[in-house]
Amino acid sequence: MRRSVLLRDCAWALLLMAPAVLFGLWIFWPLIGVAHQGELPSYLFNLRQEKRRSEYAGIKIINLDQAYALFNQGQALFVDVRKPYQYEEEHIPGAVSLPLDDWKKNKNTPLPYIPKDRLIVTYCIREACYAHLEMAKILQAQGFTQVMAYLGGFREWEKAGYPKQAGLSLQMAGKK
Amino acid sequence: MAIAGSGLGLLFLYAGGKKYLHPFEFAQFVLDYELFPQIWVGFGVAILPLVEFISGSLLVLGYILGGLDRLATKRGWASRAYLVDGLKRRSCLLLILGQSIMFTSVLIVTLLRGLKIDCGCGLFFQREVGLVPIMEDALLVLLAAGLYWWEFPIGKKETLPPS
């Protein structure tokens, strides 16, 4: 009895799955085709690239080499938009923590004591992330004139073996 | 039990709907795990959100109709138990159990491999793979298994559809 009930439940579960499988395959067949050709990562990258071009057109994007050169020159202020605990674990030395989520909650003035013409580089965890672009847009709207977004994010920086440090979160947002 | 079951169903309904509406973000999360060949990722992105959505929504509907049925029986109206049975709550729970086991296993393997990636399992915010998401998914496994055991008709008389 127990076994037959279990078997019947499993059979019904498969039957309930059938419309999900058929509908999913029908809707996402082109995506499966892309994945079959082994081009899914580049396809997704291009989609994000398009989104960046359309939604963040005014933001200057820099790559790893450019970010490292700016870091070495020591003139740019790196702004870490990840969560505070991620910043505390490790971050680019000298970077300040300005989590996008916190800013969205509090809407404080970002970087209140920093001159508006200071060179600022925002970064996130990885390339498939929009928080650094969003923050760059916010900073531009606040009047900062030299804002850039480092696309690869902290994961790429870490992989390249560039300097990093751990430490407490230095929140850089003042009251409105 | 009905509240716990409905909560579980709503969770899967929401998670499935969110993944279905953002398939490319979901695909990137699955790729980041570096665990499956690309073609599997493609099939997973196509099928998994809808399985989550269907199992979750039918489970919720099953509990709602179960409540209505009990109400109807109390008032002496004709029982619609066959309709509730038709929604196959236990089968939905099996599907949810299977998915939860799969998610938990993937998280454990990823944690053991030491990958620092977003788990893609945060319904309301992003989190990295770690012990907390694993515990949460393990809790879902226990809840789905417990509800299935509760619904299992051993020692109970099953309501059969009218012939």
Side-chain angles (χ1 to χ4, degrees), chain A residues 44-62:
Chain A
L44 294 174
F45 178 82
N46 288 339
L47 283 178
R48 289 193 294 272
Q49 190 89 322
E50 249 172 56
K51 186 177 173 180
R52 282 193 286 266
R53 274 192 204 122
S54 62
E55 288 181 28
Y56 304 99
I59 312 291
K60 189 180 177 191
I61 289 171
I62 57 171

Side-chain angles (χ1 to χ4, degrees), chain A residues 2 5-6 8-9 12 16-17 24-25 28 35-36 38-41 44 47-48 83 86 126 155, chain B residues 23-24 28-29 31-32 38-39 43 45-46 50 58 88 90-91 94-95 116 126 128 148 152 158:
Chain A
R2 193 177 285 222
V5 172
L6 186 64
R8 202 182 62 180
D9 287 350
W12 269 102
L16 291 178
M17 257 180 73
L25 291 179
F28 291 107
H36 180 61
E39 289 168 3
L40 193 55
L44 294 174
L47 283 178
R48 289 193 294 272
K83 298 196 180 301
Q86 291 175 316
R126 58 182 185 152
R155 199 165 292 150
Chain B
F24 303 120
Q28 187 59 53
F29 278 126
L31 276 177
D32 285 348
Q38 277 191 44
I39 186 71
F43 279 112
V45 169
L50 288 166
L58 287 185
K88 299 295 170 195
R90 287 200 309 269
S91 303
L94 274 183
L95 281 178
K116 276 187 183 176
Q126 294 307 330
E128 270 182 19
Y148 182 77
F152 205 76
E158 262 209 297

Side-chain angles (χ1 to χ4, degrees), chain A residues 14-28, chain B residues 20 43 46-55 95:
Chain A
L14 288 176
L15 205 66
L16 291 178
M17 257 180 73
V21 173
L22 292 175
F23 191 69
L25 291 179
W26 179 48
I27 296 286
F28 291 107
Chain B
Y20 179 75
F43 279 112
I47 294 166
L48 205 60
L50 288 166
V51 173
E52 271 187 90
F53 186 81
I54 286 182
S55 53
L95 281 178

